[in-house]
Amino acid sequence: MKKVTISTLIKMKQQGERISVITAYDASFAKLFDEQGMDAILIGDSLGMVLMGEDDTLPVTTAQMAYHTRSVRKGTQRAFVIADMPFMSYATVEQSYANATQLMAAGASMVKMEGGDWLLDSVRGLTDRGIPVCGHLGLTPQSVHKLGGFRVQGREQQQAEELVNQAVALENAGALMLVLECVPSVLANRITQSLNIPVIGIGAGPGTDGQVLVMHDMLGISANYMPKFSKNYLNECGDIRKAVSLYIEEVKQGKFPTEEHSFS
């Protein structure tokens, strides 16, 4: 099958074809997801919680992200590969250059960064230097202590307007994709329609251009808890490959997420 690129994903948005994304952290699962037809694979700093057993993503290092990115790349032939930049690895523009370089050298095709206006210089600089950037707004797990926990963002009008403005600013700065996490469905729809780049939701309702889930949540094997926005596909199918295939199918057909998995 033809390799997925950022141009492929932008074209999918333009044509109204939904994008399926999942996290992976090793070659074996990456290969399985790739063979089932997943559009994109994210090496998430969620590995801090689901692999390392931490309470949040903050302890994850760039070296750990590079290790897992290299492993995922070795198992991937078709899917687009995105790597998270971990906590405080892009606090300055210079840091973002150095650490994004490590992740791209490890096999990423794009790096993902959490935050809004303060990131714009880094996004411009990375883009100018040939490193594609995915933004991340809404619930940004690396800011969990500032946010007061894992809470839905954008319910108040002022915050919703700020998120819309930040999304547009990230696109104007050169971001080629955006993840929206834990925001009301109405706000996610508005942001998705305001941007020309693909918007991938997680807890952002059914109106985004695509969906991403943490693989451990999708398979019902997370050590901590099952988020409201996730669905245990393994429990429904009893087979990992069938579960992955069903997840992709339901994303493509707009059957997942439903209002049950969304926020108002």
Side-chain angles (χ1 to χ4, degrees), residues 94-108:
E94 290 73 21
Q95 283 180 317
S96 72
Y97 294 168
N99 291 309
T101 298
Q102 288 190 52
L103 297 182
M104 296 296 286

Side-chain angles (χ1 to χ4, degrees), residues 69-264:
T69 298
R70 189 170 292 107
S71 298
V72 167
R73 170 56 71 187
K74 287 183 179 295
T76 307
Q77 298 296 320
R78 174 186 173 273
F80 189 69
V81 176
I82 309 162
D84 268 343
M85 293 189 65
F87 178 62
M88 291 301 287
S89 67
Y90 48 101
T92 67
V93 174
E94 290 73 21
Q95 283 180 317
S96 72
Y97 294 168
N99 291 309
T101 298
Q102 288 190 52
L103 297 182
M104 296 296 286
S109 296
M110 170 179 273
V111 296
K112 181 166 77 64
M113 308 163 73
E114 299 179 7
D117 295 339
W118 67 274
L119 272 183
L120 298 180
D121 287 341
S122 291
V123 173
R124 290 190 192 95
L126 289 170
T127 301
D128 287 346
R129 288 158 178 79
I131 297 180
V133 176
C134 175
H136 185 149
L137 292 173
L139 171 58
T140 48
Q142 292 174 16
S143 303
V144 62
H145 296 300
K146 178 184 176 182
L147 298 175
F150 294 95
R151 302 172 182 271
V152 178
Q153 303 296 304
R155 279 179 165 155
E156 297 179 1
Q157 184 63 32
Q158 180 178 350
Q159 189 184 41
E161 293 300 326
E162 289 175 357
L163 287 173
V164 173
N165 292 337
Q166 288 176 0
V168 172
L170 284 168
E171 179 178 21
N172 289 340
L176 293 174
M177 186 182 294
L178 178 69
V179 167
L180 280 180
E181 181 168 357
C182 289
V183 300
S185 298
V186 172
L187 175 59
N189 291 351
R190 180 181 169 192
I191 292 174
T192 301
Q193 294 168 12
S194 299
L195 302 183
N196 295 311
I197 60 176
V199 177
I200 309 299
I202 178 167
T208 54
D209 300 307
Q211 301 294 327
V212 59
L213 285 180
V214 172
M215 58 165 279
H216 291 68
D217 294 341
M218 192 272 289
L219 297 174
I221 56 174
S222 290
N224 298 319
Y225 73 101
M226 178 65 71
K228 167 186 169 70
F229 53 72
S230 191
K231 179 177 177 179
N232 185 343
Y233 281 91
L234 182 58
N235 186 57
E236 193 164 319
C237 297
D239 177 87
I240 290 179
R241 286 178 173 79
K242 289 180 181 178
V244 173
S245 180
L246 181 61
Y247 166 61
I248 295 171
E249 178 185 332
E250 289 199 345
V251 169
K252 295 291 186 184
Q253 295 180 357
K255 295 180 179 179
F256 176 82
T258 65
E259 291 304 315
E260 174 188 353
H261 311 101
S262 308
F263 300 101
S264 58

Side-chain angles (χ1 to χ4, degrees), residues 7-19 171 191-199 207-209:
S7 297
T8 308
L9 299 176
I10 292 173
K11 186 175 181 180
M12 289 173 70
K13 176 187 175 85
Q14 294 169 345
Q15 296 179 342
E17 181 181 350
R18 295 177 186 269
I19 300 164
E171 179 178 21
I191 292 174
T192 301
Q193 294 168 12
S194 299
L195 302 183
N196 295 311
I197 60 176
V199 177
T208 54
D209 300 307

